Amino acid sequence: MNLLKPQVNPPLWLLAELTYRCPLQCPYCSNPLDFARQGKELTTEQWIDVFKQARAMGAVQLGFSGGEPLVRKDLPELIRAARDLGFYTNLITSGIGLTEKKIDAFAEAGLDHIQISFQASDETLNAALAGSQKAFQTKLAMAKAVKAHGYPMVLNFVLHRHNIDQTDRIIDLSIELEADDVELATCQFYGWAQLNREGLLPTRDQIARAEAVVQRYREAMTTSGNLANLLFVTPDYYEERPKGCMGGWGAIFLSVTPEGMALPCHSARQLPIAFPSVLEHSLQEIWYESFGFNKYRGFDWMPEPCRSCDEKDRDFGGCRCQAWMLTGNADNTDPVCGKSPHHGKILAAREQANCTNIQINQLQFRNRVNSQLIFKG
Ligand code: FES
């Protein structure tokens, strides 16, 4: 057994999940299923203290996300504090609640980058997924305003079996809105997406068609000189090797939940591990010494087939959260891996995607399930 402790570098990327509150209801939301029962949100001062500690440790990038981070009234103050500390700041938003005035305030506070998510390329499908009739028009207006303020803009579309066949129209819309980067990110199955997986996982044929469309647009854009950057992320359910989730457990990424729980990835709170709170421990202690952050660092924790695999320093045995969700044991090899004894679960999900006929209105929507709890606290 290798008894050398893995070298631990400081976190580079801090994700501040400011709130789980959100006016939309997306059935693939990555928030925990019981998000509405979580504790009180950190105060402005508590968040700024977290930023200071993370920056002092060496973190350089700070993402504001949620839920919908715009529901936090102190967002300009948080952005300003982060920028004054020297972070590169990124706002990850649905655009709902954004106004020209807020964009001005964020620009004045020094915000570097805005990412707006869309549910679809047309109003009807967008409304069916987001649960808001006004959302699409608001997003369009805000995407235009973001560009008018000179921000580099990322448009993010979560793709699944109900919208992936619109990939051409989604790209057309992104070009029209002058997006600098377009993320066509096929659903990753965590939180509400895992709950709705059967109704969301595209078929392999759908993915192949979408990939061909993206390739066609990339070639046309190269010819025309219109250089919007198209990123197409396929679901790992159609891979034979797992993703190197988070660049490795506790390697570069640190997430803090609305009530202050520190996590090595945004989905880890579901694991049977007592993750530490920033209200009780310094980030330094949490990152370097806590049980949770050390649990899956290095290679010694790995079972076979990962332990003797020559790809383990690339994929780290895959995603711990996925191993937990699909096998009930987070120590196991991610079932996405073709070498995993649990790979049959992935094959069965692919098979199911070919037969299922679940419609959008049969999905479980986060705010409908948690409606009575959403805006408390
Ligand atoms: Fe938690 Fe992959 S999402 S380790």
Side-chain angles (χ1 to χ4, degrees):
M1 179 184 286
N2 171 17
L3 293 174
L4 283 179
K5 278 183 88 174
Q7 186 188 329
V8 182
N9 295 317
L12 295 178
W13 159 223
L14 173 67
L15 184 69
E17 288 191 295
L18 297 179
T19 179
Y20 286 140
R21 291 174 289 159
C22 179
L24 302 186
Q25 61 164 24
C26 304
Y28 46 75
C29 177
S30 62
N31 284 174
L33 298 183
D34 63 347
F35 66 88
R37 292 186 199 283
Q38 305 307 322
K40 251 174 82 189
E41 292 174 8
L42 296 186
T43 64
T44 312
E45 292 69 34
Q46 287 166 334
W47 274 117
I48 292 174
D49 184 46
V50 169
F51 302 165
K52 282 184 185 154
Q53 294 183 56
R55 186 75 187 106
M57 288 168 71
V60 290
Q61 183 155 343
L62 200 167
F64 296 101
S65 83
E68 174 48 71
L70 293 170
V71 306
R72 288 278 306 216
K73 302 263 180 303
D74 54 357
L75 191 50
E77 198 177 334
L78 295 175
I79 292 168
R80 184 181 304 282
R83 282 298 282 124
D84 288 349
L85 288 164
F87 277 108
Y88 182 85
T89 52
N90 182 21
L91 174 63
I92 301 158
T93 174
S94 67
I96 307 304
L98 198 55
T99 58
E100 297 258 4
K101 209 167 142 202
K102 282 189 188 170
I103 299 174
D104 279 338
F106 298 156
E108 213 229 309
L111 181 66
D112 293 291
H113 194 274
I114 300 184
Q115 173 182 313
I116 298 184
S117 61
F118 277 74
Q119 281 72 23
S121 62
D122 72 81
E123 195 159 4
T124 308
L125 185 52
N126 203 89
L129 291 160
S132 160
Q133 297 300 329
K134 290 186 295 188
F136 189 71
Q137 291 303 333
T138 307
K139 285 166 186 281
L140 288 183
M142 287 305 112
K144 286 175 189 161
V146 163
K147 278 305 287 186
H149 277 75
Y151 276 107
M153 182 173 68
V154 177
L155 292 186
N156 169 275
F157 293 82
V158 175
L159 300 182
H160 44 78
R161 60 187 296 125
H162 302 288
N163 67 359
I164 195 167
D165 294 327
Q166 294 188 334
T167 298
D168 52 350
R169 280 170 279 156
I170 286 172
I171 299 173
D172 286 339
L173 175 66
S174 305
I175 294 171
E176 192 188 315
L177 292 171
E178 299 178 67
D180 298 283
D181 295 279
V182 185
E183 282 182 9
L184 304 160
T186 317
C187 219
Q188 302 289 322
F189 295 98
Y190 302 97
W192 292 81
Q194 174 64 5
L195 185 70
N196 285 310
R197 188 188 69 192
E198 185 183 345
L200 292 173
L201 183 65
T203 64
R204 193 190 280 283
D205 285 352
Q206 283 184 299
I207 291 165
R209 284 198 299 272
E211 253 176 331
V213 168
V214 171
Q215 194 46 35
R216 185 156 48 79
Y217 272 88
R218 279 191 186 129
E219 283 161 16
M221 281 175 170
T222 310
T223 312
S224 68
N226 180 347
L227 294 176
N229 192 23
L230 294 181
L231 178 70
F232 182 61
V233 184
T234 53
D236 59 355
Y237 270 64
Y238 289 98
E239 303 289 342
E240 290 306 312
R241 287 291 176 271
K243 55 185 182 274
C245 206
M246 301 294 140
W249 183 269
I252 52 173
F253 181 85
L254 170 62
S255 175
V256 178
T257 67
E259 79 280 22
M261 187 186 285
L263 300 171
C265 80
H266 64 283
S267 292
R269 71 180 306 156
Q270 68 184 309
L271 300 178
I273 295 174
F275 285 103
S277 166
V278 298
L279 299 177
E280 288 161 15
H281 303 274
S282 69
L283 272 197
Q284 179 90 10
E285 275 178 295
I286 288 171
W287 182 259
Y288 290 102
E289 288 159 40
S290 72
F291 173 81
F293 275 74
N294 282 301
K295 173 89 173 128
Y296 296 113
R297 280 184 172 139
F299 303 117
D300 287 347
W301 62 270
M302 286 182 173
E304 291 295 350
C306 298
R307 181 176 282 257
S308 57
C309 179
D310 58 9
E311 296 172 66
K312 64 177 182 283
D313 52 359
R314 253 178 284 157
D315 62 36
F316 319 109
C319 174
R320 296 305 89 225
C321 298
Q322 193 145 267
W324 165 252
M325 289 186 291
L326 297 185
T327 76
N329 182 352
D331 296 3
N332 282 336
T333 302
D334 184 337
V336 160
C337 184
K339 297 181 186 177
S340 160
H342 300 281
H343 189 56
K345 292 187 185 285
I346 298 292
L347 300 180
R350 290 180 197 168
E351 202 43 54
Q352 193 180 45
N354 287 325
C355 328
T356 193
N357 192 26
I358 293 182
Q359 302 301 307
I360 291 175
N361 61 7
Q362 295 172 288
L363 298 173
Q364 302 215 49
F365 291 87
R366 59 166 254 165
N367 290 9
R368 290 185 202 169
V369 177
N370 283 265
S371 59
Q372 70 286 18
L373 298 161
I374 293 285
F375 286 106
K376 291 200 176 149

